[in-house]
């Protein structure tokens, strides 16, 4: 054993993946998305997870993602089966009188909000049960319905208390997730407490209320009309500090809650700062601007080559341009392709800079102590009951 | 020399430094896993059972059939990985087979999805036109009320549509009702027509589910002849007779579900879904427009007005430009020029000696319904 007898020594988590490698995976994945009418997304998700998992090294050994695309595809088909009836209800409601439709839509929205809790939990279960470290599988017990009920109840309380109850909710949900997680035959535990969140949360709450309130109040004082947009300025000016305060709070919650995760004698420590969280957003902003400038230049060059005379004399002539497009199909294909390029560039940058940035930030600021105590953890029987995480996919809640 | 690797037995969460050796006999070969410190054999995996699972770059993760699910041998470094792969060509072959399997699954799934889409594109409009006759007329009428209320709200009319001539027994209204009923005759429609000429600056006319038809005063002002007015009115009656409003609703619901399925976004919020749905719906409503035109042409076989007048009036509202031509796939209306040609053709074989739809006195009364025309 390399890490000797000192039990208290914390092993840093190491992330070895590069942006370039993930970029290659994404470009290839988006390329395959077209001929497969979007179905390749299940394979792309699997490749992305293999990248993230296999490059995350704890105590010298990498995680392994054992899930595959077919499982995700099956889960998605199941979600379709659940969603079709909801869709029919939606359709029926849209034909009713306005009042009934509004009440009906509200009911469906509440149902979806509830189902999201279920989906989040199931998706987490799917990912954990397909994660291997040192040959031992992780798993999640507990009830997804129970989690959905808790989350739903807490969100009602959030509304009733204008968000003041948030620290209790957050700590409770973190506890439920982690105390129901398993590594082999050993159960995780969670030692966090809502009081650890109370300080930063209420401080941020008051600051956001004061700064945001001032900004909005000044805007309404100046008055905003279509012709005079200067009234928006105070609101926009308030948005920057409010955004920073939100990031500050997030950094406190992530630090304190992750650092409360225990696995027997092993303990996780994570330290992230507000600026650490801000970095990926700033890089993402520059990356999107850069990508769009490149696309715009590329698009201009291509159009100029195809229909040079439409741009003759420094002005753009729609009539000449349309002659070049030779009928509606070419134009439509060009519009769709252009749209897909813009969309692809955006999602790619958000994956490369926000997704990867966040994962790297957490991983490289995490360490685990007491790893030696884990050498006698034993494997449990395989949990094969889970087919995909379709509902989460359909509701767009599963990010990794 | 043994290749350095790490070994997890899959029973306990341990990680051992090991050395790998390749042992081959007459008919069998095996990967021998040796303890790195003292060189004793820990276990050996039969070469035919071995397969590789996905690992990071320059890392080879080996598993074997017959071992526990989590049992792994992990080889690191480009050179070591290359040595193992050179010794065990079966690994590369199995990896290729697995890739082939995934490609086949993806291709099959894509084909299945493509055929579902194909069936949908043909099936939904067909199905919608059949399903629509299963919808109880009473429900469609109440739906028409809802749509009417929403339409009034969207047009900013707080106290409802302002009907030009509220007296149903006036000369103009009686003439219009008579025309509508005559147009509907023989269509087997369960609805009673309710045609209203309403005050509005927008030159438009439309039919709601359940038999209500609105004709806006701005369009009436633009109409120069009986043929034009009767043509548009007969066209709208055609929508009612074919129950296009309801059909469209069913079709839109169907395409929405399909697009959501393709993009995996069942809540249907993404722009791409909207674009796809627009193309399918636009195609569908262009067919509906053609059907309504054909209906108007049939009515013109019983009354003396030229159906091409319909296209004349539409042409006056808005001429097709290059952009409209380019966007034809996305547009819900066929190009006016195409419609005019089709209507001219339909109007060629009309019998002679028919009565005009309105008498001169009636047509004058209709033109005057909304007061003096705003436009010259």
């Amino acid at each position: 054993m390399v890490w000797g007898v000192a039990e208290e020594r914390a092993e840093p988590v190491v992330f070895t993946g590069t942006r370039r490698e993930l970029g290659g995976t994404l470009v290839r994945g988006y390329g395959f998305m077209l001929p497969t009418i979007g179905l390749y997304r299940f394979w792309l998700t699997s490749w992305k997870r293999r990248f993230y998992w296999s490059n995350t090294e704890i105590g010298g050994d990498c995680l392994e993602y054992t899930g595959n695309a077919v499982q995700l595809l099956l889960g998605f088909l199941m979600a379709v089966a659940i969603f079709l009836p909801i869709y029919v209800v939606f359709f029926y409601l849209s034909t009713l009188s306005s009042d009934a439709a509004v009440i009906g839509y509200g009911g469906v929205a509440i149902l979806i909000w509830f189902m999201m809790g279920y989906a989040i939990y199931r998706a987490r279960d799917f990912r954990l049960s397909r994660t291997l470290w040192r040959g031992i599988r992780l798993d999640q017990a507990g009830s997804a319905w129970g989690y959905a009920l808790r989350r739903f109840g807490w969100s009602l309380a959030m509304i009733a208390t204008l968000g003041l109850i948030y620290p209790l909710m957050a700590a409770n949900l973190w506890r439920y997730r982690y105390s129901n997680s398993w590594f082999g035959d050993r159960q995780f535990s969670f030692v966090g407490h809502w009081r650890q969140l109370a300080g930063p949360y209420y401080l941020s709450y008051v600051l956001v209320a004061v700064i945001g309130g001032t900004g909005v109040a000044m805007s309404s004082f100046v008055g905003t009309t279509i012709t005079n947009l200067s009234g928006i300025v105070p609101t926009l000016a308030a948005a920057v500090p409010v955004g920073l305060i939100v990031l500050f709070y997030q950094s406190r919650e992530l630090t304190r809650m992750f650092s409360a995760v225990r696995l027997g004698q092993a303990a996780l420590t994570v330290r992230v700062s507000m600026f650490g969280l801000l970095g990926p957003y700033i890089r993402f902003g520059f990356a999107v601007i850069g990508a769009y400038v490149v696309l715009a230049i590329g698009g201009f060059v291509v159009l100029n080559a195809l229909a040079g005379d439409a741009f003759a004399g420094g002005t753009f002539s729609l009539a000449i341009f349309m002659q070049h497009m030779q009928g509606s199909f070419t134009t439509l294909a060009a519009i769709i392709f252009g749209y897909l390029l813009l969309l692809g560039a955006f999602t790619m940058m958000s994956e490369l800079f926000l997704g990867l940035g966040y994962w790297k930030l957490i991983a490289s600021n995490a360490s685990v102590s007491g790893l030696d105590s884990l050498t006698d953890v034993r494997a449990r029987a395989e949990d094969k009951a889970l087919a995909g995480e379709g509902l989460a996919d359909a509701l767009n809640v599963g990010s990794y | 020399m043994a290749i350095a690797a790490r070994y997890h037995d899959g029973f306990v969460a341990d990680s051992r430094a090991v050395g790998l050796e390749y042992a081959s006999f007459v008919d069998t070969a095996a990967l021998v896993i040796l303890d790195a410190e003292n060189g004793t054999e820990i276990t050996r995996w039969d070469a035919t059972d071995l397969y590789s699972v996905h690992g990071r770059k320059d890392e080879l993760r080996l598993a074997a059939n017959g071992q526990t699910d989590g049992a792994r041998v992990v080889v690191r470094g480009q050179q070591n990985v290359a040595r193992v792969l050179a010794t065990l060509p079966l690994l590369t072959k199995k990896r290729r087979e697995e890739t082939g399997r995934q490609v086949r699954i993806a291709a099959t799934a894509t084909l299945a999805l493509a055929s579902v889409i194909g069936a949908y594109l043909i099936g939904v409009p067909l199905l919608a036109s059949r399903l629509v006759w299963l919808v109880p007329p009473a429900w469609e009428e109440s739906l028409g009320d809802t749509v009417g209320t929403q339409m009034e709200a969207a047009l900013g009319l707080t106290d409802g549509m302002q009907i030009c001539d509220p007296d149903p027994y006036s000369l103009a209204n009686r003439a219009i009702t008579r025309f509508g009923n005559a147009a509907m005759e023989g269509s087997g429609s369960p609805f009673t027509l309710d045609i209203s000429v309403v005050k509005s600056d927008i030159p438009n006319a439309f039919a709601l589910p359940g038999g209500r038809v609105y004709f806006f005063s701005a369009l009436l002002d633009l109409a120069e002849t009986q043929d034009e007015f009767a043509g548009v009115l007969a066209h709208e009656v055609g929508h009612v007779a074919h129950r296009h409003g309801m059909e469209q609703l069913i079709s839109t619901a169907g395409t929405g579900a399909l697009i959501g399925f393709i993009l995996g976004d069942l809540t249907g919020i993404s722009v791409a879904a909207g674009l796809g749905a627009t193309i399918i719906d636009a195609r569908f409503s262009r067919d509906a427009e053609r059907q309504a035109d054909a209906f108007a042409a049939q009515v013109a076989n019983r009354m003396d007005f030229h159906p091409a007048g319909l296209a004349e009036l539409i042409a006056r509202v808005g001429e097709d430009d290059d952009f409209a031509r380019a966007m034809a796939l996305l547009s819900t209306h066929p190009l006016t020029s195409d419609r005019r040609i089709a209507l001219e053709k339909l109007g060629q074989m009309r019998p002679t000696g028919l009565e005009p739809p309105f008498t001169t006195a009636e047509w004058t009364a209709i033109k005057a319904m909304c007061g003096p025309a705003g436009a010259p």
Side-chain angles (χ1 to χ4, degrees):
Chain A
M1 296 290 124
V2 271
W3 52 91
V5 281
E7 288 283 340
E8 289 309 306
R9 209 183 123 202
E11 278 278 323
V13 176
V14 178
F15 186 76
T16 58
T18 61
R19 188 161 285 139
R20 192 196 174 88
E21 197 188 338
L22 180 62
T25 306
L26 291 178
V27 168
R28 195 187 52 176
Y30 293 153
F32 282 134
M33 211 82 103
L34 277 181
T36 57
I37 331 176
L39 281 180
Y40 193 76
R41 66 180 181 277
F42 302 111
W43 277 267
L44 179 58
T45 303
S46 302
W47 281 112
K48 267 176 8 192
R49 288 187 187 161
R50 282 173 197 143
F51 167 80
Y52 283 119
W53 267 241
S54 69
N55 280 299
T56 304
E57 203 179 286
I58 302 169
D61 290 300
C62 296
L63 300 178
E64 183 186 315
Y65 177 69
T66 61
N68 62 44
V70 175
Q71 294 163 341
L72 295 177
L73 181 62
L74 283 178
F76 173 70
L77 290 179
M78 283 185 194
V80 169
I82 295 174
F83 261 91
L84 275 182
I86 296 184
Y87 190 82
V88 171
V89 170
F90 246 119
F91 169 64
Y92 177 73
L93 288 173
S94 68
T95 65
L96 293 182
S97 70
S98 319
D99 287 347
V102 167
I103 295 170
Y105 280 143
V108 174
I110 290 171
L111 179 70
I112 287 181
W113 177 247
F114 175 76
M115 293 298 283
M116 271 173 82
Y118 177 82
I120 289 169
Y121 204 78
R122 282 288 298 251
R124 194 173 185 276
D125 191 2
F126 181 90
R127 292 195 293 270
L128 275 183
S129 62
R130 277 149 186 84
T131 301
L132 214 59
W133 182 69
R134 291 189 173 170
I136 302 295
R137 203 170 48 81
L138 281 90
D139 200 5
Q140 181 170 264
S143 147
W145 290 117
Y147 184 79
L149 270 176
R150 262 163 198 266
R151 182 176 171 275
F152 188 73
W154 278 115
S155 45
L156 291 185
M158 278 286 283
I159 296 169
T161 60
L162 298 174
L164 286 171
I165 209 166
Y166 179 83
L168 281 95
M169 170 178 93
N172 184 271
L173 294 181
W174 274 84
R175 178 182 304 278
Y176 192 82
R177 288 197 296 268
Y178 278 93
S179 58
N180 282 304
S181 299
W182 292 75
F183 174 59
D185 62 353
R186 192 160 301 173
Q187 192 168 11
F188 279 85
S189 59
F190 186 75
V191 297
H193 196 275
W194 70 269
R195 276 191 228 105
Q196 289 175 289
L197 298 178
Y201 183 78
Y202 293 118
L203 179 67
S204 308
Y205 190 95
V206 170
L207 284 176
V208 166
V210 170
I211 297 174
T214 312
V216 172
M218 276 171 74
S219 283
S220 56
F221 179 71
V222 175
T224 306
T225 58
I226 307 286
T227 47
N228 175 22
L229 290 170
S230 64
I232 295 179
V233 173
T235 308
L236 288 179
V240 174
V242 166
L244 287 178
I245 293 164
V246 170
L247 286 183
F248 159 76
Y249 174 72
Q250 276 182 357
S251 70
R252 294 304 86 204
E253 178 175 330
L254 290 171
T255 298
R256 293 180 186 180
M257 295 296 105
F258 268 132
S259 300
V261 174
R262 300 282 179 272
L263 178 56
Q265 291 162 35
L268 177 67
T269 309
V270 172
R271 293 197 198 293
V272 289
S273 67
M274 177 184 83
F275 292 108
L277 281 177
L278 182 64
Y281 285 101
I282 290 177
R283 281 190 283 276
F284 168 68
F286 282 117
V288 167
I289 293 169
Y292 279 5
V293 166
V294 169
L295 280 182
I297 294 171
F300 184 75
V301 169
V302 169
L303 287 180
N304 220 350
L306 289 178
D309 49 349
F311 296 91
T315 51
F316 174 70
S317 157
L318 186 70
I320 301 176
F321 180 69
M322 282 305 169
Q323 281 171 13
H324 278 280
M325 297 312 276
Q326 292 162 355
S328 52
F329 189 74
T330 326
T331 315
L332 191 70
I335 290 172
I336 292 176
F337 187 69
Y339 167 75
L340 288 177
L341 268 184
L342 291 178
L343 186 75
F346 186 84
T347 48
M348 181 154 167
M349 292 308 142
S350 81
E351 183 70 46
L352 284 181
F353 291 90
L354 292 181
L356 179 61
Y358 182 75
W359 186 284
K360 265 169 102 165
L361 180 77
I362 301 292
S364 56
N365 288 296
S367 60
V368 186
S369 64
L371 275 179
D372 278 356
S373 68
L374 299 179
T375 45
D376 58 347
V377 170
R378 304 193 69 80
R380 283 205 308 184
E382 184 86 61
D383 173 7
K384 293 201 163 88
L386 275 173
E389 48 188 30
L391 201 57
D393 181 58
L395 288 171
N396 238 332
V397 291
S399 50
Y400 292 104
Chain B
M1 202 192 90
I3 298 170
R6 289 176 92 91
Y7 170 67
H8 313 295
D9 64 10
F11 289 109
V12 292
D14 201 1
S15 180
R16 293 175 76 171
V18 293
L20 301 181
E21 267 175 11
Y22 180 67
S24 83
F25 306 99
V26 186
D27 52 349
T28 60
L31 183 75
V32 185
I33 301 164
L34 307 164
D35 191 299
E37 276 168 31
N38 52 32
T40 54
E41 180 176 328
I42 299 169
T43 182
R44 57 173 63 204
W45 289 354
D46 201 280
T48 50
D49 288 337
L50 288 174
Y51 62 93
S52 63
V53 295
H54 299 282
R56 64 178 159 181
K57 212 168 144 241
D58 295 331
E59 184 176 283
L60 181 67
R61 298 179 77 89
L62 296 177
N65 296 322
Q67 300 294 324
T68 48
D69 286 330
R72 294 285 183 275
V73 167
V74 184
V75 183
R76 278 182 194 167
Q78 213 175 350
Q79 281 185 331
N80 286 345
V81 171
R83 275 180 70 192
V84 175
L85 288 178
T87 317
L88 297 161
L90 202 63
L91 288 176
T92 316
K93 189 169 161 255
K94 279 187 180 170
R95 172 59 64 87
R96 224 175 278 138
E97 281 169 4
E98 175 58 24
T99 307
R101 210 172 4 253
Q102 294 295 319
V103 169
R104 276 196 298 281
I105 292 171
T108 313
T110 305
L111 275 179
L113 181 57
S115 66
V116 167
I117 295 171
Y120 237 89
L121 289 184
I122 300 161
V124 161
L126 269 180
L127 209 63
S129 60
R130 302 289 181 283
L131 274 179
V132 82
W133 297 101
L134 299 177
V135 175
W139 189 51
E140 187 171 333
E141 272 162 20
S142 79
L143 178 68
D145 291 341
T146 311
V147 177
T149 320
Q150 286 168 354
M151 193 89 74
E152 281 164 18
L155 291 170
L157 303 165
T158 38
D159 29 289
M161 303 265 190
Q162 199 194 335
I163 295 173
C164 279
D165 185 355
D167 174 16
Y169 297 106
S170 70
L171 182 63
N173 275 333
R174 266 187 294 143
I176 291 173
T177 309
R178 191 194 61 226
F179 175 81
N181 291 339
M184 275 287 248
E185 220 175 70
S187 70
S189 170
F191 303 114
T192 333
L193 272 177
D194 175 13
I195 304 171
S196 325
V197 179
V198 293
K199 200 120 192 103
S200 170
D201 297 336
I202 308 157
N204 204 354
F206 55 86
L208 294 181
R212 262 201 269 176
V213 174
Y214 289 102
F215 205 105
F216 286 173
S217 60
L219 191 63
L220 179 58
D221 290 343
L222 285 172
E224 284 170 5
T225 61
Q226 280 203 33
D227 299 71
E228 295 175 0
F229 178 72
V232 170
L233 205 54
H235 172 93
E236 296 306 329
V237 173
H239 281 315
V240 172
H242 283 289
R243 298 178 79 167
H244 280 147
M246 199 64 215
E247 209 176 300
Q248 175 115 41
L249 201 64
I250 295 174
S251 169
T252 308
T255 50
L258 167 76
I259 299 292
F261 179 72
I262 298 175
L263 295 169
D265 178 0
L266 286 156
T267 41
I269 31 177
S270 77
V271 188
L275 190 69
T278 307
I279 295 173
I280 297 173
D281 293 341
R283 198 183 72 97
F284 180 72
S285 59
R286 280 199 304 275
D287 287 347
E289 292 301 315
R290 281 193 203 100
Q291 275 187 345
D293 279 359
F295 183 90
Q298 271 173 20
V299 175
N301 282 339
R302 305 198 295 268
M303 274 178 272
D304 186 24
F305 68 93
H306 201 287
L310 161 62
E312 306 285 334
L313 184 53
I314 292 166
R316 211 165 297 135
V317 173
E319 209 54 67
D320 301 332
D321 52 13
D322 285 325
F323 194 68
R325 250 174 262 283
M327 291 292 118
L329 257 178
L330 286 175
S331 167
T332 53
H333 281 73
L335 287 170
T336 317
S337 47
D338 293 354
R339 283 173 88 171
R340 197 200 308 247
I341 295 164
L343 283 165
E344 290 281 2
K345 224 166 120 191
L346 287 168
Q348 270 168 8
M349 296 162 292
R350 286 168 52 225
T352 49
L354 296 169
E355 289 283 308
F358 308 109
T359 65
T360 318
E362 282 168 348
W363 176 232
T364 316
I366 290 169
K367 278 293 274 182
M369 274 175 99
C370 304

